[in-house]
Amino acid sequence: MRMLLIHSDYLEYEVKDRALKNPEPISEEQRKGRLDEALVVFMSVEKVDEANPEEVVEKAVKEIKDVAGQVKAERIFVYPFAHLSSDLAKPDVALGVLQKVEEKLKEEGFEVKRAPFGYYKAFKLSCKGHPLAELSRSIVPSGEAVSTEERNIALEKEEELKSYWYILTPEGELVEVDKFDFTGHENLGKFANYEINKNRAADREPPHVKLMLEHELADYEPGSDQGNLRYYPKGRLIKGLLEQYVTEKVIEYGAMEVETPIMYDFEHPALEKYLNRFPARQYVVKSGDKKFFLRFAACFGQFLIKKDATISYRNLPLRMYELTRYSFRREKSGELSGLRRLRAFTMPDMHTVARDLRQAMDEFKKQYKLSMEVLRGVGLTPEDYEVAIRFTRDFWEENRDFIVELVKIIGKPVLIEMWDQRFFYFILKFEFNFVDNLDKAAALSTVQIDVENAERFGITYYDEEGQKRYPLILHCSPSGAIERVMYAILEKQARLQAQGKKPMFPLWLSPIQVRVIPVSEEVMDYALYVAGKLEGAKIRVDVDDTNDRLNKKIREAEKEWVPYIVVVGRNEKEQNTITVRRRSDGAQVEMQIEDLIKEIKAQTEGFPYRPRPLPLLLSRRPKFKG
């Protein structure tokens, strides 16, 4: 069963026509209806519910009661809504479930109204708009006959897990999310609403998709599974630079780089158990009679390396890193959206072995700061993302000061998700989440303290007395998936563009950093000389040798977000100078070539470099899109 629960000022409907050949019989009075101040429950009964309709009814009523209690609703409007699922139950089963839900809610003391089943209806709805006003729930009967490939216990439990939501301020004040004043923190309000609602599907393409296509960075690959992209030269350059940058930052932090397989034995005892503890859907492949799954993180390979290693307390904390190209998660097709959510993605993945909770928390804080530093390097500051910290109530009560310190470091209120009991393998987790132009959120950086998998995989270290001990393990991705970083950069620029500002990539990531435009064929030799000097200084430069007018050449460079446009004519050639237009501030200045080199080098120092990804001359370039 799928449910969408909306806390409303009112909902009113009017029957228009039959949707089924034999709809539920109704009176003339039932053709219209309205209920004010109600929790509206849009409900879709699914084929899987036919296995145990009674259990589905019980679970649905429990969920509805829980949400009604949170929003303090005394009226419930049960509304059949087939559009929530593409795998619907038989009409007679669906109607029976709806009727029993209505009946049991009345027994619980609610005022209940139900819209008729089997009809097309027009409706008007006013949603209250607070973070708890829109929630979605998925109910699965136990004993459901689902293949291992389709089923993931962690995902099912994640749907059922009761979360308590708060906002924690840098001053240490913990406020229930529906009582927090989001004035001045509107983006945090959007993020809280997204997380609590759990509606991951995108109803339209986010703005970054148009930008990634216009700039010929990446594209959907029709010859592959959904959620697998192709990268054109400029996109591959940006992606490669990001991969190199994050890897260098992690190795500088002290991690050892390794490489592990992308495919693992489905029946390996430790791996099989871990599959049901990690909330991700896996791809399954067969080789002969054996089943394998494609990794959805670097955990498996790194855990197996650590299991076989001899580790002393002197080696701790022990940090191991891999850039996984690729990791695979079989996300729902409706959730796939450009670079935001993919089925094949590149994840920088570091795992740290820590001797005890104290050392693990110390590493956690350091990796929290490392993640802030990594995102700052790609042009994302704390103003650009929202923080979620997740833990059990026990952990909060024992480590309150530590959590508040994390909030002070970021310097703004954060979203807290708290559980009464731990279900997942971690006791503490944070994420930095980017909220895009469609108010959808995507996790970037994350760190988790894992208290289960050392024992599950047989990972040990020797303490001072030579005794074997099970360590804790930190899972860290200091940037999140590389594709998600590209998505966040593009979404931020789309937002700036909508505000009338000039979008641009960070200079070190710009596919072309300088475009040289000769005003005529007469000075082409000087344009090539300037380009040669810049290229010799490891600056990505190209030359517009097309027959277009000067103004059109400048417009084209502007459309491509080229940071520096160098125009050269007879005067520049004679004086051995260049005229430079800066995108960052719109200034136009005359300078020496060496001065431009110094200016660019000052801004790109400390970041990786790759050569120009396309031919030097624009006339030699293919067009990859349309």
Side-chain angles (χ1 to χ4, degrees):
M1 175 185 286
R2 302 277 175 179
M3 295 192 298
L4 176 63
L5 302 99
I6 296 182
H7 191 201
S8 69
D9 298 310
Y10 71 89
L11 181 139
E12 61 181 35
Y13 74 87
E14 180 180 359
V15 170
K16 293 296 185 181
D17 200 357
R18 291 190 302 178
L20 297 174
K21 186 177 180 180
N22 296 305
E24 174 186 12
I26 57 171
S27 64
E28 190 61 32
E29 184 182 346
Q30 290 174 292
R31 296 185 70 83
K32 290 184 180 180
R34 175 179 172 122
L35 196 61
D36 296 320
E37 297 297 325
L39 176 64
V40 179
V41 184
F42 291 102
M43 190 175 289
S44 179
V45 184
E46 298 181 292
K47 193 169 188 63
V48 69
D49 301 331
E50 295 175 1
N52 197 338
E54 292 78 12
E55 182 189 2
V56 170
V57 169
E58 293 295 333
K59 286 184 174 181
V61 170
K62 182 178 181 298
E63 288 286 352
I64 294 166
K65 277 179 59 182
D66 181 52
V67 175
Q70 291 181 61
V71 300
K72 299 176 175 58
E74 298 177 353
R75 297 173 176 173
I76 310 290
F77 203 136
V78 177
Y79 198 104
F81 202 64
H83 308 292
L84 293 176
S85 176
S86 59
D87 192 22
L88 298 172
K90 295 174 184 175
D92 58 332
V93 175
L95 178 57
V97 168
L98 292 163
Q99 289 172 331
K100 287 178 182 176
V101 167
E102 176 188 14
E103 178 186 324
K104 288 193 174 291
L105 286 170
K106 285 179 178 177
E107 291 173 2
E108 294 288 342
F110 292 102
E111 180 184 340
V112 185
K113 192 175 191 69
R114 181 173 59 82
F117 177 79
Y119 295 89
Y120 294 117
K121 299 175 288 291
F123 69 85
K124 292 181 181 178
L125 171 71
S126 174
C127 176
K128 288 190 176 292
H130 57 75
L132 292 171
E134 302 173 45
L135 301 169
S136 63
R137 294 290 185 268
S138 177
I139 293 171
V140 181
S142 57
E144 173 201 356
V146 180
S147 67
T148 309
E149 291 93 327
E150 293 293 330
R151 189 173 187 193
N152 183 287
I153 294 170
L155 284 167
E156 292 173 13
K157 290 292 183 184
E158 190 176 34
E159 293 280 359
E160 297 174 8
L161 208 59
K162 181 174 175 58
S163 297
Y164 298 88
W165 298 95
Y166 303 92
I167 301 298
L168 181 60
T169 69
E171 294 74 35
E173 185 181 7
L174 189 69
V175 185
E176 291 179 22
V177 73
D178 57 339
K179 295 177 182 175
F180 184 77
D181 181 2
F182 287 98
T183 304
H185 302 287
E186 286 77 12
N187 213 46
L188 178 60
K190 292 176 182 178
F191 172 55
N193 184 63
Y194 176 83
E195 282 295 295
I196 296 167
N197 184 35
K198 297 186 185 296
N199 181 14
R200 306 305 191 224
D203 56 1
R204 63 187 188 278
E205 281 194 330
H208 82 273
V209 174
K210 181 182 177 185
L211 293 177
M212 83 178 190
L213 296 174
E214 283 180 352
H215 286 266
E216 295 188 333
L217 304 181
D219 200 352
Y220 299 110
E221 177 49 75
S224 182
D225 188 22
Q226 285 181 288
N228 287 258
L229 299 184
R230 61 168 72 151
Y231 291 86
Y232 301 126
K234 289 195 290 185
R236 179 62 208 135
L237 174 115
I238 292 175
K239 188 167 181 285
L241 283 171
L242 287 168
E243 292 168 353
Q244 188 175 344
Y245 167 68
V246 178
T247 297
E248 287 176 0
K249 296 297 285 187
V250 176
I251 291 173
E252 179 185 305
Y253 176 69
M256 300 173 287
E257 188 172 12
V258 298
E259 182 175 331
T260 62
I262 67 168
M263 184 187 302
Y264 292 89
D265 185 349
F266 209 96
E267 296 176 1
H268 186 289
L271 299 179
E272 186 178 20
K273 290 176 184 175
Y274 186 45
L275 287 175
N276 282 322
R277 303 296 281 146
F278 196 101
R281 300 173 186 86
Q282 61 270 4
Y283 276 95
V284 177
V285 296
K286 287 188 177 180
S287 177
D289 295 330
K290 291 191 67 109
K291 283 196 303 183
F292 296 83
F293 65 91
L294 301 182
R295 68 179 177 195
F296 41 76
C299 310
F300 316 107
Q302 291 189 26
F303 287 171
L304 294 173
I305 289 176
K306 291 179 172 73
K307 173 186 179 297
D308 294 336
T310 302
I311 303 171
S312 162
Y313 70 94
R314 295 186 183 90
N315 306 136
L316 305 183
L318 186 151
R319 308 173 186 111
M320 194 174 288
Y321 168 79
E322 181 176 5
L323 180 75
T324 65
R325 191 190 306 128
Y326 287 95
S327 290
F328 300 88
R329 297 184 188 178
R330 200 167 47 76
E331 306 285 19
K332 294 178 181 178
S333 58
E335 296 175 350
L336 300 174
S337 180
L339 290 158
R340 180 173 77 93
R341 192 174 283 270
L342 297 164
R343 287 180 170 171
F345 54 93
T346 307
M347 179 68 81
D349 216 345
M350 174 170 66
H351 293 86
T352 304
V353 175
R355 65 181 297 164
D356 52 28
L357 184 58
R358 182 175 178 179
Q359 188 176 72
M361 288 169 64
D362 183 56
E363 276 294 298
F364 188 94
K365 185 167 68 174
K366 289 177 181 176
Q367 292 175 15
Y368 184 85
K369 292 178 179 178
L370 171 68
S371 299
M372 292 176 65
E373 182 184 343
V374 167
L375 291 188
R376 191 174 288 111
V378 302
L380 299 172
T381 66
E383 288 73 35
D384 296 314
Y385 51 84
E386 301 300 333
V387 183
I389 307 179
R390 309 173 197 272
F391 42 76
T392 61
R393 195 171 299 279
D394 286 347
F395 189 90
W396 165 251
E397 290 170 356
E398 294 167 11
N399 302 281
R400 181 184 181 116
D401 291 346
F402 178 77
I403 302 297
V404 173
E405 187 179 357
L406 297 176
V407 182
K408 286 179 180 176
I409 291 169
I410 204 72
K412 63 178 185 176
V414 309
L415 180 67
I416 298 296
E417 183 177 14
M418 196 182 298
W419 304 293
D420 285 332
Q421 299 176 16
R422 179 180 65 83
F423 168 74
F424 300 111
Y425 55 83
F426 56 84
I427 55 170
L428 175 65
K429 176 183 181 181
F430 87 80
E431 308 123 27
F432 295 156
N433 296 268
F434 185 85
V435 181
D436 65 23
N437 295 281
L438 301 184
D439 296 342
K440 299 290 184 183
L444 299 172
S445 315
T446 183
V447 179
Q448 308 161 12
I449 297 180
D450 177 346
V451 296
E452 288 185 6
N453 283 303
E455 188 168 353
R456 177 174 291 118
F457 282 82
I459 300 167
T460 59
Y461 74 94
Y462 289 94
D463 67 12
E464 292 88 337
E465 283 75 42
Q467 298 297 312
K468 279 188 176 183
R469 304 287 183 190
Y470 290 116
L472 301 182
I473 302 174
L474 286 87
H475 303 236
C476 171
S477 182
S479 63
I482 297 297
E483 295 82 359
R484 281 233 178 126
V485 176
M486 294 174 69
Y487 140 85
I489 292 170
L490 289 171
E491 285 286 326
K492 179 178 178 178
Q493 299 314 309
R495 186 173 294 155
L496 293 174
Q497 201 168 33
Q499 295 169 359
K501 300 174 184 176
K502 283 189 174 182
M504 60 188 297
F505 295 107
L507 183 58
W508 70 276
L509 280 175
S510 293
I512 298 300
Q513 296 166 318
V514 180
R515 175 157 298 164
V516 181
I517 302 178
V519 298
S520 67
E521 182 66 31
E522 179 186 354
V523 291
M524 177 58 74
D525 59 339
Y526 185 62
L528 293 171
Y529 167 76
V530 171
K533 292 278 283 184
L534 294 169
E535 194 161 52
K538 293 192 173 180
I539 292 170
R540 289 185 293 275
V541 58
D542 62 14
V543 177
D544 190 340
D545 64 331
T546 64
N547 294 322
D548 294 327
R549 294 174 180 271
L550 178 62
N551 285 343
K552 185 177 180 184
K553 291 182 178 184
I554 292 172
R555 282 199 304 273
E556 285 300 312
E558 293 276 1
K559 279 172 62 178
E560 292 181 43
W561 303 356
V562 176
Y564 290 92
I565 301 172
V566 170
V567 178
V568 295
R570 185 182 300 173
N571 289 340
E572 285 82 6
K573 181 177 180 179
E574 288 174 355
Q575 296 173 25
N576 201 33
T577 60
I578 51 176
T579 300
V580 179
R581 298 166 65 108
R582 276 196 213 94
R583 185 172 180 81
S584 59
D585 60 8
Q588 180 169 309
V589 294
E590 187 174 324
M591 61 173 68
Q592 300 292 319
I593 301 173
E594 289 72 17
D595 293 333
L596 177 59
I597 291 171
K598 287 178 185 176
E599 183 173 320
I600 292 173
K601 287 296 185 183
Q603 297 177 65
T604 57
E605 186 178 359
F607 292 101
Y609 165 79
R610 288 193 173 198
R612 180 188 61 250
L614 293 161
L616 173 68
L617 300 177
L618 266 61
S619 64
R620 301 281 182 89
R621 292 183 186 173
K623 188 113 177 103
F624 291 99
K625 284 297 297 178

